[in-house]
Amino acid sequence: MNFNAHKRIISSAAVFAAVFAILSAAELCGTEKVSADSSVKAVKASAESAVNAKAGAVYALTKTDDTQEVQSDEAETDERVRFSAETIKCSESGSDDGGIKIIIENGSETDEYFCSFNGGKTFRKMNKRTAVMEGLSEGCYSICIMKNADKSTMSEMHTVYLSSEDEIIPVEISADSVSEQIYSDGMIKIHISGYDKEKSYEASVDGGRTWKTVKGRTAYFYGLTGGEYTAAVREADAPSEDSQELQITLGGFTHGTNKYIKTECILQNPELPTGCEITSLTMLLNYMGYDVDKLTMADDYLPKGEYRNSDFYEVFVGDPRNYSAYGCFSKPIAQAAESFLKDTGELDRWDVRNITGCTADSLYAAIDRGYPVVVWASMEMKPIGNGRSWTITETGKTVTWPSNEHCLLLVGYNTKKKLVYMNDPLKGTVAYKMSEFEKMFDTLGNHAVIIVEA
C-alpha cells in the first residue's frame, strides 16, 4: 500500500435459473385446502436450519466521532420462518396445471409473510399462512419465506421438483439448503415415485459423472456445499432408461440477526504501516489459540514480491514494514496461514479456505458458527478509486492498485442495527454501517479468508 495512493496507513472498509420452468401469471393466493382430485405428494422440506446456529452475546454501540465502540447487550432471538411444502403433480409433461402448497409452521396471525419461488429473487405477499401457487409447469422451484419483509427472518431455502405423470422414471426431489455457502451441510433427497421393487436404481447429483445405488425408493446425498447440482435417476440394469436431468440449487444465505465474537485487536502501527492484511491474519490466529506476533507472520510467512513489479493477487507487493509498500489480496494471506499451521504441525486440524466471491450473508453465517473472517474493504469504508499502475516485467501484465484498500477482521454483525463489528488494524475494535461495508467488500471482489475446523 502506497501513502500517495491513500491506502490504510493513515490513522483517522435456484441458480435458480436452471431447469426452472417459467412461472405462469397465476397469483399467489390463500387457500383453504387442495382439491381432492389433485395428486398431492408431500415433500416435507422442513425449513429448520441444518446447523441451528443460535445468536450469541451481542453488543450495542456508543457513537464516537466516526466509529463506534462496543458495549455488552442482551442476545436477541432467532426469528427465522419455518415451513413445509407439498407438490401437486402436473397431469403430463409440458402442461402447466401443477402447483406447490406452502404451510408456515411457526406463523402468527399478526404477521405478514412473503414467499419466493425463484430463490429469493422476487417475493409475493401471502394472504394466509397456508397458500398455493398454481398454474406451474414441471421443474425445480427454490422456495424461501420471510416475515414482515425483514430479511433477517428469512427461512432456509429449499428446492423441490414439481413432476409430471409421464416421466420415464418418475422422481420427486427436495433439497435442504446449506447454512451458508462455506460449509458442507446441505442435503438432496431423491424419491422414486414410480418405484418397482423388482428393479435396481442408481441416482446422481453431478450430471451422471458418478452414480449411487438407491437402497429402496429414496436416495440421500449429504455433505453438500451451496451451489448447482444436476440430479437424475436410472435403472442399474438398463442405464438408457433414465429420468430427465433436473437442475437443483442449494441455497446459502441464511443467518441469524446478530452475533459478536470477542477477540483481541492488534494494531499494525508503528511496525507495519502497510501490513493490515498480515495483522488481520495474526489476530485470527491468536483467537484460535496460537501465540504468534504480527512481525513473525510478516517476516517469515507472508509471500512477498518486488515493489511495483509483482502482482498483489499473488504476493504482497513490497514489504509491510515500509510506508511505500502496497499490499495483497486473499491468496497470499491464505498461503501464509497454511504455512504457519504446517510449521506448527497442526494443519490437519484446520481448513484454511480462500472464500473469495462469497456473499456478505455467508460471512455473517460464518460468524454465527463462531469463526471470525479476514475481509477486504476500505479505510473507514471510504470510496475506492484507482491508484498507481505498473507492468510486471516477467508476465507483461499491468495491474492497478485500488486506493484506500484495507483489510480487517470481521468479528460480528447486527442486522437490526445494520452494523458490522470489525477489529480494524488501524483503529481498534469498531463498528461500521453494514451497507457501507458490503458495498466496499463487493467493490474489491468479495475477498475473504476463513479458517475452520477440519
Side-chain angles (χ1 to χ4, degrees):
M1 57 196 149
N2 181 275
F3 182 86
N4 295 326
H6 303 291
K7 197 182 178 235
R8 66 271 190 217
I9 56 177
I10 306 173
S11 293
S12 56
V15 154
F16 184 66
V19 176
F20 172 53
I22 300 176
L23 294 178
S24 71
E27 292 294 322
L28 178 65
C29 59
T31 180
E32 295 302 321
K33 69 175 184 176
V34 180
S35 173
D37 59 357
S38 298
S39 178
V40 180
K41 297 293 183 181
V43 175
K44 288 298 178 185
S46 174
E48 285 286 351
S49 168
V51 179
N52 276 328
K54 300 295 184 182
V58 297
Y59 287 73
L61 300 163
T62 303
K63 187 75 170 63
T64 59
D65 292 336
D66 55 354
T67 60
Q68 297 173 316
E69 296 178 354
V70 180
Q71 297 179 338
S72 63
D73 196 3
E74 294 182 358
E76 299 177 27
T77 58
D78 189 344
E79 299 179 347
R80 283 177 288 183
V81 179
R82 299 191 304 274
F83 72 96
S84 62
E86 297 176 353
T87 60
I88 306 169
K89 297 179 72 171
C90 301
S91 59
E92 61 183 15
S93 180
S95 65
D96 57 0
D97 56 359
I100 298 176
K101 180 180 179 182
I102 299 296
I103 305 103
I104 297 176
E105 298 177 346
N106 61 337
S108 167
E109 296 294 342
T110 59
D111 291 314
E112 293 183 332
Y113 295 90
F114 299 81
C115 184
S116 173
F117 282 77
N118 59 4
K121 293 179 181 178
T122 60
F123 284 85
R124 297 186 183 187
K125 184 178 177 180
M126 298 173 62
N127 293 336
K128 297 181 179 180
R129 285 179 293 166
T130 299
V132 144
M133 172 70 86
E134 298 176 312
L136 302 181
S137 303
E138 63 181 315
C140 293
Y141 296 82
S142 291
I143 306 168
C144 55
I145 299 173
M146 65 178 170
K147 180 173 63 178
N148 300 326
D150 182 357
K151 283 188 66 176
S152 68
T153 67
M154 191 87 71
S155 69
E156 288 278 348
M157 182 165 63
H158 297 272
T159 301
V160 297
Y161 172 59
L162 181 59
S163 61
S164 65
E165 299 289 355
D166 61 351
E167 299 163 285
I168 298 175
I169 299 179
V171 294
E172 298 167 15
I173 295 178
S174 66
D176 288 353
S177 66
V178 291
S179 56
E180 38 80 26
Q181 293 176 338
I182 301 168
Y183 300 101
S184 303
D185 55 9
M187 182 271 287
I188 290 176
K189 180 179 79 172
I190 299 178
H191 182 75
I192 306 172
S193 55
Y195 176 75
D196 183 341
K197 64 180 181 180
E198 300 299 324
K199 297 179 179 179
S200 299
Y201 298 92
E202 296 175 325
S204 172
V205 293
D206 59 9
R209 290 192 297 275
T210 59
W211 293 89
K212 174 180 179 178
T213 299
V214 181
K215 296 180 180 180
R217 65 174 65 234
T218 304
Y220 295 88
F221 293 82
Y222 296 101
L224 304 178
T225 58
E228 304 167 35
Y229 294 84
T230 302
V233 172
R234 71 182 184 185
E235 291 185 19
D237 298 328
S240 61
E241 294 294 319
D242 59 357
S243 69
Q244 67 181 108
E245 291 187 342
L246 306 170
Q247 301 298 319
I248 300 233
T249 299
L250 279 179
F253 58 82
T254 58
H255 54 75
T257 58
N258 58 77
K259 181 69 180 288
Y260 179 83
I261 303 171
K262 189 172 182 180
T263 58
E264 180 182 358
C265 187
I266 301 173
L267 298 180
Q268 65 189 80
N269 289 321
E271 298 91 345
L272 301 176
T274 54
C276 61
E277 299 97 346
I278 201 64
T279 302
S280 295
L281 175 60
T282 303
M283 285 188 269
L284 176 55
L285 292 172
N286 284 180
Y287 171 74
M288 293 165 56
Y290 295 101
D291 185 16
V292 61
D293 62 83
K294 63 185 180 182
L295 296 180
T296 299
M297 291 301 301
D299 294 340
D300 298 343
Y301 294 100
L302 178 64
K304 293 181 281 290
E306 186 178 351
Y307 177 70
R308 287 189 194 168
N309 194 27
S310 52
D311 188 345
F312 45 80
Y313 285 98
E314 301 295 328
V315 294
F316 186 97
V317 179
D319 189 320
R321 288 178 177 268
N322 298 330
Y323 280 91
S324 60
Y326 287 85
C328 65
F329 279 149
S330 54
K331 183 177 178 179
I333 294 303
Q335 291 175 338
E338 288 182 345
S339 296
F340 172 78
L341 292 172
K342 184 178 180 180
D343 276 0
T344 64
E346 296 196 324
L347 184 57
D348 59 341
R349 283 188 56 201
W350 303 100
D351 188 0
V352 179
R353 298 184 183 178
N354 185 343
I355 57 173
T356 295
C358 73
T359 65
D361 289 305
S362 290
L363 302 178
Y364 308 147
I367 296 296
D368 277 354
R369 297 282 294 272
Y371 294 116
V373 189
V374 178
V375 295
W376 276 254
S378 66
M379 290 189 298
E380 300 178 346
M381 304 305 147
K382 293 179 178 178
I384 295 168
N386 290 329
R388 184 179 291 274
S389 300
W390 60 86
T391 300
I392 302 168
T393 303
E394 184 177 354
T395 63
K397 178 182 178 181
T398 298
V399 295
T400 301
W401 179 252
S403 62
N404 276 338
E405 176 268 356
H406 192 36
C407 184
L408 316 92
L409 186 66
L410 175 68
V411 295
Y413 72 97
N414 189 310
T415 58
K416 293 189 176 181
K417 296 178 181 179
K418 301 186 185 305
L419 296 170
V420 290
Y421 309 145
M422 300 282 188
N423 279 5
D424 187 332
L426 282 175
K427 304 181 73 66
T429 302
V430 297
Y432 292 108
K433 291 182 179 179
M434 183 175 284
S435 60
E436 293 179 353
F437 160 67
E438 291 180 358
K439 182 178 181 180
M440 296 303 104
F441 178 65
D442 181 69
T443 298
L444 283 182
N446 304 71
H447 281 262
V449 172
I450 188 172
I451 304 177
V452 300
E453 291 180 272

